[in-house]
Amino acid sequence: MRVAGLIRAAAFIFTLVAMWVFLRTYTSFSRKTIRLPRWLGMAPKEIRVPNTKCGLSKLCPDNFFAFKISSGAANVVGPSMCFEDEIIMSPVRNNVGRGLNIALVNGSTGHLLRKGSFDMYSGEPQLLLNFLAEIPDSTLVLVASYDDPGTKMNDKIRMVFTNLGSSYANQLGFRDSWVFLGAKDLKNKSPFEQFLKNTPETNKYEGWPELLELEGCVPRKVF
Ligand SMILES: *[C@@H]1O[C@H](CO)[C@@H](O)[C@H](O)[C@H]1NC(C)=O
């Protein structure tokens, strides 16, 4: 009786250990060690995180760039943009502002060219027009709204965004939420865009619609 009990206990413990070893081996297959993002300002340290750039839900194929863009939440939390695992604009980096936040990326190398925040409530729209007039060919254009992207919007600016592939720039208004990735020489509409109108009846926050998130893999321009 005693021996049978001991054997049963030993078998139980053996099963637990085998299961633990199996789970450890299995889960380490799907994980990979990478470095902490630079903006955290810590010494590089290896941590275990899922193996996707910008925390995307899927891996991007070769010759595609991973990106994730979030609009601001009401007038409280600023927007953020990640490109190829680098946070290029965010409240933590302290380089975003109310209005439209725009980053220009070289479509073949993925390198950041320029970025800027444009106050669309009380700012000077000509500053945004000047910025948009100097977009080089084959450039990817990432845009995130914060608080109010619409008050100082004008037809010239709408036209530039429409030519970059936007479907919603022509109706962008006061306190709408907007996230967009377009390109300088895009012939068609960009598939990367989300838009929510400021509608008091359905707004998530009192005076603003919900924040928007856009993520995906954008093809590298290969010459
Ligand atoms: C983008 O990168 C390509 C390849 O390095 C380069 O030839 C081109 O001049 C770059 N464009 C800009 C605007 O920097």
Side-chain angles (χ1 to χ4, degrees), residues 105-111 113 135-139 223:
V105 172
N106 185 315
S108 60
T109 62
H111 291 147
L113 297 171
I135 302 179
D137 288 344
S138 306
T139 299
F223 294 99

Side-chain angles (χ1 to χ4, degrees), residues 23-189:
L23 282 176
R24 262 190 67 111
T25 313
Y26 177 78
T27 51
S28 66
F29 272 134
S30 59
R31 280 153 183 265
K32 193 187 157 208
T33 56
I34 62 156
R35 292 179 185 285
L36 273 175
R38 216 175 302 156
W39 55 266
L40 278 178
M42 297 179 187
K45 189 175 146 191
E46 302 226 301
I47 48 165
R48 279 163 177 268
V49 297
N51 181 22
T52 62
K53 290 175 178 167
C54 298
L56 260 57
S57 46
K58 57 170 184 173
L59 275 170
C60 290
D62 284 350
N63 282 323
F64 280 75
F65 297 122
F67 73 91
K68 186 174 198 169
I69 307 173
S70 304
S71 70
N75 60 348
V76 178
V77 183
S80 61
M81 288 181 197
C82 176
F83 193 87
E84 282 289 279
D85 228 14
E86 191 175 336
I87 312 286
I88 50 183
M89 298 186 87
S90 79
V92 173
R93 293 202 58 171
N94 197 25
N95 59 2
V96 292
R98 306 239 173 116
L100 287 174
N101 295 272
I102 306 177
L104 307 181
V105 172
N106 185 315
S108 60
T109 62
H111 291 147
L112 180 68
L113 297 171
R114 272 200 300 285
K115 54 186 171 355
S117 286
F118 300 91
D119 182 341
M120 301 302 287
Y121 181 74
S122 56
E124 173 51 62
Q126 189 60 41
L127 294 175
L128 174 55
L129 265 174
N130 296 347
F131 181 89
L132 295 173
E134 289 166 14
I135 302 179
D137 288 344
S138 306
T139 299
L140 297 172
V141 181
L142 290 76
V143 186
S145 67
Y146 180 25
D147 187 7
D148 174 27
T151 298
K152 290 287 182 82
M153 183 54 65
N154 62 39
D155 286 347
K156 278 189 190 164
I157 301 173
R158 291 182 201 282
M159 175 83 87
V160 177
F161 284 124
T162 303
N163 288 338
L164 293 169
S166 168
S167 307
Y168 297 104
N170 56 8
Q171 51 173 298
L172 195 62
F174 178 63
R175 289 186 179 175
D176 293 345
S177 286
W178 185 42
V179 281
F180 170 63
L181 184 148
K184 172 74 172 185
D185 38 14
L186 206 61
K187 300 285 181 292
N188 305 303
K189 288 292 164 212

